[in-house]
Amino acid sequence: MVIPVHDVNPARRTPWVTYTLLAANIVVFLLTPGMPGSVVGESSLAQLCHLQAFLDQYAAVPRELIHHQMPRLVPTGEVGVGPQGAGCVVGPPPYDKSPELSVLTAMFLHGSWLHLLGNMLFLWIFGNNIEDRMGHVRFLLFYAGCGYAASYGFAVLNNASADPLIGASGAIAGVLGAYLVLYPRARVWVLVPFLVFLPLRLPAWTVLGLWFVLQAVYSSGEGISDAGTVAYAAHIVGFLAGMLIAWPLRPGTPPPPEPRGIVFGRRARPGW
């Protein structure tokens, strides 16, 4: 998988919504119980129980979204000792959860630093141009709409699942789909792992098209050992939703600047 680092497509106005979404995701991650332990990959049982209780309350759950089947017992966040040893205590939920609202809160939750930073990288690179084209308010509604489409699309395909669904990936996939429709010829600087990270400037349709194909392959379970930990189907639905919503905006979208000659290494940096 190539790693995008910059697109050659300057925006005309400051992307305040994109900046706000970036900041909000980072702040929520830092305040999520148990998440600081992900820096070293270790968490105590108490942190894990607290995190599980937090996610059960604020994450989207496919079974809840489709069937409105709310669990009778949920983790309380406390640790107890039973016949099989220490574990998380469960009890009746002390809150009334709205499955519809949980889709929105789940968009700001991430499972690890890698999960967070990967999503924020794509939002940082591609979000500003989509916000520039749509305007601040319409972009915010577009972002949320793609996130909802991705979550409910995944829930329809996995309607019996009780696993929490978290992350901004579905909404950001919509941003990528819109970018592919509106700026397919924009050049994107990427790092290609080939012995070392090789910098290349590729058209957006190549970078984002490859990303979409990989999501489809991974969603089928091919090429990876465990497809259950990532909601690839949500990425696909979000991407397609973004393409459909952005399609009417193609007429009148100014083309990106013509790229200069391809250069590599340090000489490439001033031209970014």
Side-chain angles (χ1 to χ4, degrees):
M1 180 61 183
V2 298
I3 303 173
V5 293
H6 180 70
D7 68 330
V8 187
N9 192 8
R12 298 167 299 173
R13 47 187 163 185
T14 304
W16 293 115
V17 173
T18 299
Y19 291 162
T20 301
L21 290 172
L22 288 165
N25 277 278
I26 294 171
V27 169
V28 170
F29 179 81
L30 294 175
L31 295 178
T32 300
M35 280 300 110
S38 64
V39 177
V40 294
E42 297 179 357
S43 296
S44 67
L45 180 57
Q47 287 177 313
L48 292 176
C49 292
H50 199 182
L51 175 60
Q52 189 174 0
F54 182 85
L55 293 181
D56 279 348
Q57 181 174 359
Y58 294 106
V61 178
R63 187 168 62 188
E64 297 174 1
L65 295 179
I66 302 302
H67 304 294
H68 277 250
Q69 295 179 353
M70 310 305 293
R72 298 176 60 185
L73 298 175
V74 298
T76 64
E78 299 183 3
V79 177
V81 179
Q84 298 180 348
C88 299
V89 177
V90 297
Y95 50 80
D96 292 324
K97 181 178 180 179
S98 168
E100 295 79 13
L101 184 59
S102 70
V103 175
L104 180 61
T105 56
M107 290 185 206
F108 295 91
L109 303 176
H110 292 84
S112 67
W113 280 104
L114 182 61
H115 187 200
L116 172 71
L117 296 179
N119 278 341
M120 296 304 99
L121 174 64
F122 277 83
L123 179 59
W124 172 265
I125 295 172
F126 299 106
N128 62 333
N129 293 109
I130 305 305
E131 180 179 350
D132 187 40
R133 181 67 181 90
M134 293 183 174
H136 304 308
V137 175
R138 285 201 298 174
F139 174 71
L140 181 60
L141 295 175
F142 164 82
Y143 181 91
C146 289
Y148 268 84
S151 295
Y152 272 96
F154 180 84
V156 168
L157 297 173
N158 302 270
N159 59 82
S161 174
D163 295 330
L165 180 64
I166 61 173
S169 306
I172 295 172
V175 173
L176 303 186
Y179 198 99
L180 178 61
V181 167
L182 299 177
Y183 305 104
R185 298 181 180 178
R187 298 290 170 162
V188 180
W189 280 104
V190 300
L191 297 177
V192 180
F194 184 75
L195 300 181
V196 295
F197 284 103
L198 180 66
L200 291 177
R201 189 172 63 193
L202 301 175
W205 67 265
T206 300
V207 177
L208 300 180
L210 175 61
W211 182 89
F212 181 78
V213 169
L214 287 176
Q215 304 310 300
V217 172
Y218 293 161
S219 180
S220 69
E222 298 294 333
I224 51 176
S225 60
D226 185 6
T229 58
V230 180
Y232 292 108
H235 301 174
I236 295 173
V237 175
F239 190 91
L240 294 176
M243 292 184 67
L244 290 174
I245 296 173
W247 197 268
L249 298 177
R250 290 190 68 190
T253 299
E258 289 294 328
R260 292 178 288 178
I262 296 179
V263 291
F264 300 90
R266 294 183 178 179
R267 291 179 56 208
R269 295 177 187 171
W272 285 13

